[in-house]
Amino acid sequence: MAGSRRRRRRRRARPQQADEPSPPPAPASLSSREVAVAARPSKKICDASGSVSSPSSGSHAWENLLDSLLHQIISLISSFHDLLAFRGTCHSWHHAAASSFPSVYTFSFPPLHLKPDVSQESYNSDRKSQLVDPAKKSLSHRCSAPGITLHPMRYLGCSYGYLIFSDRRHCHLVDVYTGTKVKPPKFQSECNTLIYLGILTAPLNSTNSRLILFSRISMLQWQVGTNSWTEHPHVGELIHQIVLFKGQMFAMDFVQRLHTIHIAPELSMQEVAVMWEQSMLVGLHSKPWLVVCGDMLLLVDLSVSMDQLFGFPGTFQVFRLDFSVEPAKWVKMDKLDNWALFLTNDRRNPTFSCMNPERWGGKSNYIYVPTKSEDFDEPWTAIEVEQPVPSSTHRMSFSSAATAHCSPLNSLWVLPSLVYGVDQ
């Protein structure tokens, strides 16, 4: 009996071994699903600075978020600089933004305003241009010169974040944000002296990307990564503007006929039968703009009636192309609802649309255009649809629409190439 009591006392007095820690009690409210998540630590943990730390650091694990959730976060981004911050937070986020980003035309942040240095006639290595974000006007970006050449270069357009130029022998592509330059193969014929327009069919690093140039007599095509151009005859009016809409290239010529451009089996153009509203045929009109706006293809018209030629304003009118009828028909829109549009006088430049612009301080149902005057607080102005365009703005921004295709590079709206999925 006494021996039994001594054994019980020894068991009670036995100290706990250092290598056998007592497990903490599990919270009563912790569900089995939460236990499973807590028991499976992430391989990498990203903090807000983009560095990788160990799981014991106390940082939250973001590396393995699903792309679907990342895209929901991306849809809430309201400025280009917010996109840069998102990409810089974590490597997997950078990859998701670069490789799986939704269509640029569904973005909810505005394009950047590019103000080039045009103080000299020919381009040189000392030139700098300025990019301004309308959503964060205090954060401007100075970017490199648009090109270096011994000969003056002709501006051909801007596509997927690249400015397109040509000289006597070559075409030059310049990234507006990084200044990176790409030189396609040398031209094979003398038609390059007649080239007036250029466009990329996809982001430059895409496997199916092509550069298409238009001259007065032919269309030239370079498949990115190859060593030569292919040339196809072009008979008809000069091309006024080109946009990409739902996987197709739509082009409008100088007499406002609409065409589709086909890559396969060979580069060709086909006219699209379109009916015009009567109001589009009355009065004087500037050359229209094509704008992709969500799932709509829009035509923006600046109309000036006969008694408004001398000092009186014009008016922006917007039409959408109704594909549900045959032939397709331009249908007038009274309002843009919760959209804002961005365009410039030069139709070689891209046009943009932005949903819910109030999120970054913009206005719905307004059209944003660059100005040429230094008297304004901002390098652009906003004009409401169906409201008079101020005479001063009309003269500054739209006075040379007929000759814009011959002009040098001027202010334009642009989204840098990294927005389109180019992983710099």
Side-chain angles (χ1 to χ4, degrees):
M1 190 73 168
S4 176
R5 284 198 295 269
R6 283 195 296 269
R7 282 195 297 271
R8 285 198 295 271
R9 282 197 296 269
R10 279 198 297 270
R11 281 198 295 269
R12 285 196 298 267
R14 182 185 176 187
Q16 190 177 39
Q17 298 297 320
D19 56 351
E20 298 178 0
S22 298
S29 60
L30 193 64
S31 67
S32 59
R33 183 176 181 273
E34 289 172 318
V35 171
V37 173
R40 188 177 63 251
S42 175
K43 295 178 181 178
K44 293 181 181 179
I45 293 178
C46 296
D47 60 26
S49 65
S51 61
V52 178
S53 56
S54 65
S56 61
S57 65
S59 300
H60 294 290
W62 301 107
E63 175 77 11
N64 298 319
L65 287 180
L66 296 175
D67 279 358
S68 58
L69 179 57
L70 290 176
H71 289 164
Q72 292 183 41
I73 298 172
I74 289 170
S75 68
L76 300 176
I77 292 175
S78 60
S79 76
F80 172 72
H81 284 85
D82 289 345
L83 174 63
L84 292 181
F86 174 88
R87 287 166 55 95
T89 299
C90 193
H91 177 73
S92 68
W93 292 18
H94 173 97
H95 176 74
S99 64
S100 305
F101 214 54
S103 169
V104 69
Y105 298 111
T106 65
F107 286 3
S108 57
F109 60 82
L112 306 184
H113 176 269
L114 174 66
K115 182 180 181 181
D117 180 358
V118 292
S119 58
Q120 304 176 40
E121 292 185 359
S122 60
Y123 297 96
N124 61 69
S125 59
D126 295 327
R127 287 196 137 179
K128 295 290 182 180
S129 298
Q130 186 177 34
L131 282 167
V132 179
D133 187 345
K136 295 184 182 294
K137 301 168 190 175
S138 60
L139 299 178
S140 62
H141 174 74
R142 303 290 290 184
C143 49
S144 301
I148 303 174
T149 180
L150 297 176
H151 307 288
M153 292 196 293
R154 183 185 297 114
Y155 176 61
L156 303 179
C158 180
S159 185
Y160 285 104
Y162 279 85
L163 300 172
I164 306 172
F165 300 92
S166 70
D167 57 27
R168 297 174 184 175
R169 299 180 179 178
H170 289 92
C171 182
H172 304 262
L173 303 176
V174 185
D175 190 301
V176 298
Y177 189 74
T178 65
T180 302
K181 301 173 181 66
V182 176
K183 184 187 289 187
K186 183 179 177 180
F187 292 127
Q188 298 171 323
S189 67
E190 296 299 324
C191 73
N192 60 294
T193 58
L194 304 174
I195 294 173
Y196 62 90
L197 179 63
I199 188 171
L200 288 167
T201 62
L204 195 62
N205 74 336
S206 175
T207 55
N208 62 344
S209 181
R210 290 171 169 82
L211 174 63
I212 300 178
L213 305 180
F214 292 81
S215 78
R216 296 178 182 274
I217 60 174
S218 65
M219 298 181 290
L220 286 81
Q221 178 183 200
W222 172 57
Q223 184 166 355
V224 176
T226 62
N227 297 320
S228 62
W229 294 85
T230 58
E231 187 173 352
H232 306 269
H234 171 59
V235 179
E237 297 290 335
L238 298 182
I239 298 303
H240 175 63
Q241 185 189 0
I242 301 174
V243 297
L244 286 90
F245 177 64
K246 294 186 175 180
Q248 284 189 293
M249 283 193 293
F250 286 85
M252 180 164 283
D253 63 26
F254 267 78
V255 294
Q256 301 177 28
R257 289 180 299 200
L258 193 65
H259 306 263
T260 53
I261 301 174
H262 303 277
I263 303 297
E266 64 177 13
L267 190 61
S268 62
M269 288 181 54
Q270 181 178 358
E271 184 176 352
V272 178
V274 176
M275 289 185 62
W276 292 67
E277 273 208 355
Q278 187 64 30
S279 62
M280 304 173 74
L281 306 175
V282 178
L284 297 179
H285 302 263
S286 177
K287 296 293 183 184
W289 293 262
L290 294 175
V291 186
V292 175
C293 183
D295 60 354
M296 300 182 294
L297 180 59
L298 303 183
L299 181 144
V300 178
D301 179 51
L302 178 60
S303 62
V304 183
S305 61
M306 294 297 292
D307 59 351
Q308 291 179 326
L309 287 175
F310 301 98
F312 292 95
T315 303
F316 277 124
Q317 295 181 329
V318 179
F319 303 82
R320 68 172 177 85
L321 191 57
D322 183 1
F323 290 95
S324 66
V325 297
E326 192 173 339
K329 180 180 180 180
W330 291 113
V331 179
K332 193 173 186 299
M333 298 178 63
D334 295 327
K335 289 185 177 182
L336 288 171
D337 293 329
N338 59 336
W339 290 90
L341 307 182
F342 298 79
L343 50 84
T344 65
N345 182 48
D346 192 339
R347 279 39 166 212
R348 296 171 298 183
N349 298 330
T351 55
F352 297 95
S353 60
C354 178
M355 182 183 287
N356 300 322
E358 285 77 12
R359 295 176 62 240
W360 50 265
K363 300 177 182 179
S364 295
N365 200 46
Y366 274 74
I367 296 175
Y368 289 77
V369 295
T371 60
K372 297 181 180 179
S373 174
E374 301 296 333
D375 297 335
F376 287 80
D377 295 334
E378 298 174 340
W380 58 79
T381 186
I383 303 165
E384 190 171 4
V385 173
E386 295 285 355
Q387 297 300 312
V389 178
S391 300
S392 57
T393 301
H394 186 279
R395 289 193 300 270
M396 287 187 305
S397 302
F398 308 107
S399 57
S400 58
T403 59
H405 269 55
C406 305
S407 64
L409 174 64
N410 281 303
S411 296
L412 69 147
W413 299 108
V414 63
L415 282 172
S417 60
L418 61 89
V419 173
Y420 297 91
V422 177
D423 196 357
Q424 299 290 350

